[in-house]
Amino acid sequence: MTFPQNRGLMLVLSSPSGAGKSTISRALLEREERLSLSVSATTRQMRPGEVEGKDYFFVTPDQFSDMVKQGDMLEHATVFENSYGTPRKPVEDSLQRGEDVLFDIDWQGTQQVTAKAPNDIVRVFILPPSLEELERRLFARAQDSEDVVRKRMAKAADEMSHWAEYDYIIINDDIGKSVADVQAILRAERLKRDRRDGLHDFVNSLRSS
Ligand code: 5GP
């Protein structure tokens, strides 16, 4: 017996930089077979250790605006003076195949995706346990200059003001627990009645046997 498959869902993780979102994303992708990452396009400089096509598609401002003009972006926004956007096609293909897609996008992108696909999106906001810890993590990364870290700290307060636009809130004071919490959210959301398109026929077949 094959059970009806769900359409995939869009799992959005947002947080101020340094709240631990990338670590949580990495762990989720390792543990969840049916989940893949939406790789964004950005005009920002590549950081040491980042890989083209895996962390981001690094593009020029002209390439970025062409993608926007051609309608190739599901959403796009300016963050820290750079452009970021989600290429539409890979996301649509994954959802169609019944696979879930993980998004590491900011509140602006989340608002746009919510407007376009309110039934497919699940929004999770990750908060740091304290402002001191956020600052410590940003400096510990040491990938950005002190000036950039200062800007990101200033932006964090603004970013966090959008927490109430999300469905779930996680305070990341224990990475293992945070990952388990997001997995629990994913698991429950996959079981939601509204998401289980093929279930009518399945239940009818159960009732008629
Ligand atoms: P970073 O430069 O540290 O990789 O990312 C900076 C911010 O941009 C993060 O908050 C991240 O969530 C956001 N971001 C990354 N990709 C996208 C995207 O495609 N769209 C939007 N709206 N935000 C993004």
Side-chain angles (χ1 to χ4, degrees):
M1 173 96 221
T2 52
F3 299 114
Q5 219 193 353
N6 283 6
R7 178 177 160 76
L9 58 79
M10 302 161 107
L11 179 67
V12 171
L13 293 189
S14 298
S15 75
S17 313
K21 185 179 44 180
S22 324
T23 315
I24 294 174
S25 303
R26 257 195 310 271
L28 275 176
L29 291 164
E30 271 168 25
R31 289 173 202 190
E32 294 287 338
E33 266 178 25
R34 260 179 55 197
L35 185 70
S36 62
L37 179 70
S38 160
V39 179
S40 299
T42 183
T43 60
R44 86 146 157 74
Q45 293 290 306
M46 193 189 270
R47 293 190 189 127
E50 285 186 327
V51 177
E52 162 71 22
K54 183 164 175 279
D55 297 288
Y56 283 105
F57 297 107
F58 294 92
V59 298
T60 64
D62 281 348
Q63 288 170 324
F64 192 93
S65 55
D66 282 349
M67 290 174 84
V68 173
K69 268 186 223 142
Q70 283 158 20
D72 292 343
M73 294 295 199
L74 182 63
E75 60 75 36
H76 63 97
T78 304
V79 186
F80 304 121
E81 293 153 24
N82 287 303
S83 302
Y84 293 83
T86 302
R88 175 196 301 278
K89 182 85 170 61
V91 174
E92 282 174 357
D93 290 349
S94 295
L95 296 182
Q96 210 66 53
R97 285 196 302 269
E99 290 165 16
D100 303 324
V101 182
L102 179 66
F103 295 78
D104 174 343
I105 60 176
D106 79 334
W107 62 270
Q108 304 172 80
T110 307
Q111 285 187 350
Q112 294 171 40
V113 181
T114 303
K116 284 186 184 154
N119 300 326
D120 288 339
I121 193 170
V122 177
R123 299 161 298 188
V124 180
F125 198 87
I126 298 161
L127 291 169
S130 68
L131 211 54
E132 292 72 31
E133 179 61 15
L134 184 70
E135 188 170 42
R136 197 193 61 71
R137 288 181 191 167
L138 281 179
F139 275 111
R141 274 211 309 219
Q143 286 176 335
D144 296 312
S145 67
E146 180 157 346
D147 181 40
V148 172
V149 172
R150 292 276 158 237
K151 273 194 197 143
R152 285 178 182 241
M153 280 303 291
K155 191 98 195 325
D158 177 43
E159 196 88 38
M160 284 188 281
S161 71
H162 292 275
W163 70 277
E165 295 162 23
Y166 288 72
D167 305 303
Y168 299 93
I169 310 298
I170 289 180
I171 299 174
N172 183 28
D173 60 350
D174 174 334
I175 196 81
K177 184 174 174 299
S178 299
V179 173
D181 284 346
V182 182
Q183 286 188 285
I185 292 166
L186 194 53
R187 187 159 180 186
E189 288 284 344
R190 281 172 178 160
L191 294 171
K192 271 210 162 154
R193 187 193 57 228
D194 290 350
R195 227 162 245 128
R196 313 196 70 186
D197 294 341
L199 223 50
H200 288 285
D201 291 345
F202 176 65
V203 175
N204 285 340
S205 75
L206 290 179
R207 294 180 70 211
S208 65
S209 55

